[in-house]
Amino acid sequence: MPLLFVLGCVFFPLSFAVLCWGLQNHSNLRMEKQEAVLVASKLVSSVQAVMASTAGYIVSTSCKHIIDDQHWLSSAYTQFAVPYFIYDIYAMFLCHWHKHQVKGHGGDEGSTRAPGSTWAVARGYLHKEFLMVLHHAVMVLVCFPLSVVWRQGKGDFFLGCLLMAEVSTPFVCLGKILIQYKQQHTLLHKVNGALMLLSFLCCRVLLFPYLYWAYGRHAGLPLLAVPLALPVHVNLGAALLLAPQLYWFFLICRGACRLFRPRGSRPPSPCQTQD
């Protein structure tokens, strides 16, 4: 379905552009460009997350046989969503670029920037967001071809569960928006932080033991015997997918400890998490 891929290539950048324009020009908002870029990028990420989670829920609950059952949404949404990861690399760079400009490192608007300044910003972006850029690149260059070609229609249940990992993304995005507006001490930020922690734990960290348990239940194996029954490349792939989730979960936990620290302690610093 190349049409779905093309539709995704149009939908995500166009949504971002329309949201940026609306946030800057709506009479009740009138956001600065830096704010509009950040908020628009997080809104698009949240929309994608809701769509992915919904598709994943439909697929996973529709597949009674976890190996052989198929659902058309598994391949359809995968092809539609792959351009999102390419778009999001660019959107994250725009957020970094405008933040860099506001800090005064890139010169005022309209002034001539020093030679190499764009490359310096790009290097700073890659240094700061290396893991997220690598994650997105792997999604496009490795996971997408494997899900479309290598699976050969098998395991739609597992793909649906993996899509539901996006449940935590809207909470991560809202947290970053609240930090942008210096709302770290509000009740909304604390409630959102608790929901982010819980959803990330359940949908991204505990997801992998659950998938192993589900396969073990299907194959009649105890949980601890499942890794030994699976091919090495399957265990390796699961480990590589789980590793960044554990790192980001550690960052979320560290931010949560600071957020809920008693008032007499040092004020909390922003939670540096990834979506």
Side-chain angles (χ1 to χ4, degrees):
M1 303 178 189
L3 180 60
L4 289 171
F5 180 84
V6 174
L7 183 61
C9 289
V10 173
F11 176 79
F12 295 110
L14 183 61
S15 298
F16 175 72
V18 169
L19 284 170
C20 277
W21 181 87
L23 292 170
Q24 290 180 84
N25 293 282
H26 192 282
S27 57
N28 293 331
L29 296 174
R30 297 291 182 184
M31 289 186 181
E32 297 293 332
K33 190 168 185 180
Q34 181 214 5
E35 294 177 316
V37 167
L38 174 70
V39 174
S41 68
K42 300 311 172 190
L43 287 174
V44 173
S45 293
S46 297
V47 168
Q48 192 282 140
V50 170
M51 292 191 297
S53 301
T54 303
Y57 177 79
I58 293 172
V59 171
S60 60
T61 54
S62 299
C63 296
K64 305 306 179 185
H65 192 285
I66 65 172
I67 303 297
D68 295 329
D69 282 2
Q70 298 181 12
H71 194 286
W72 65 271
L73 259 179
S74 61
S75 59
Y77 189 78
T78 301
Q79 294 181 58
F80 171 74
V82 137
Y84 163 78
F85 294 99
I86 302 171
Y87 141 81
D88 197 46
I89 292 175
Y90 175 68
M92 288 190 299
F93 173 73
L94 279 183
C95 292
H96 181 82
W97 171 266
H98 287 291
K99 186 176 180 180
H100 178 88
Q101 295 297 101
V102 167
K103 286 182 176 179
H105 296 164
D108 297 329
E109 288 191 20
S111 65
T112 303
R113 295 187 180 90
S117 62
T118 301
W119 173 239
V121 175
R123 282 187 301 171
Y125 163 68
L126 291 174
H127 176 75
K128 181 181 178 183
E129 303 287 356
F130 175 77
L131 187 57
M132 182 59 73
V133 173
L134 178 63
H135 170 270
H136 282 23
V138 169
M139 289 293 107
V140 174
L141 300 176
V142 180
C143 294
F144 172 62
L146 288 178
S147 67
V148 173
V149 179
W150 178 74
R151 288 192 314 117
Q152 296 181 341
K154 303 286 187 179
D156 278 12
F157 167 81
F158 295 101
L159 180 57
C161 290
L162 289 171
L163 287 174
M164 290 181 66
E166 293 291 337
V167 165
S168 63
T169 298
F171 302 112
V172 175
C173 292
L174 177 57
K176 291 197 171 186
I177 292 174
L178 291 173
I179 289 172
Q180 171 71 22
Y181 287 98
K182 312 292 185 187
Q183 299 298 307
Q184 293 96 318
H185 304 288
T186 62
L187 177 60
L188 175 60
H189 185 67
K190 292 181 178 181
V191 171
N192 181 73
L195 292 173
M196 177 174 64
L197 180 66
L198 181 62
S199 61
F200 203 98
L201 173 64
C202 294
C203 299
R204 288 183 179 260
V205 177
L206 297 181
L207 169 67
F208 290 90
Y210 169 74
L211 294 179
Y212 275 72
W213 174 83
Y215 180 81
R217 184 183 180 188
H218 165 77
L221 297 170
L223 176 61
L224 295 179
V226 173
L228 300 176
L230 293 174
V232 174
H233 64 271
V234 173
N235 290 316
L236 179 61
L240 291 175
L241 288 174
L242 177 59
Q245 313 306 328
L246 291 175
Y247 172 71
W248 289 326
F249 184 66
F250 163 75
L251 294 181
I252 291 174
C253 290
R254 187 175 65 179
C257 289
R258 293 171 177 173
L259 180 64
F260 292 101
R261 181 176 294 162
R263 290 188 176 184
S265 303
R266 186 175 58 184
S269 62
C271 176
Q272 300 296 325
T273 60
Q274 303 296 335
D275 58 350

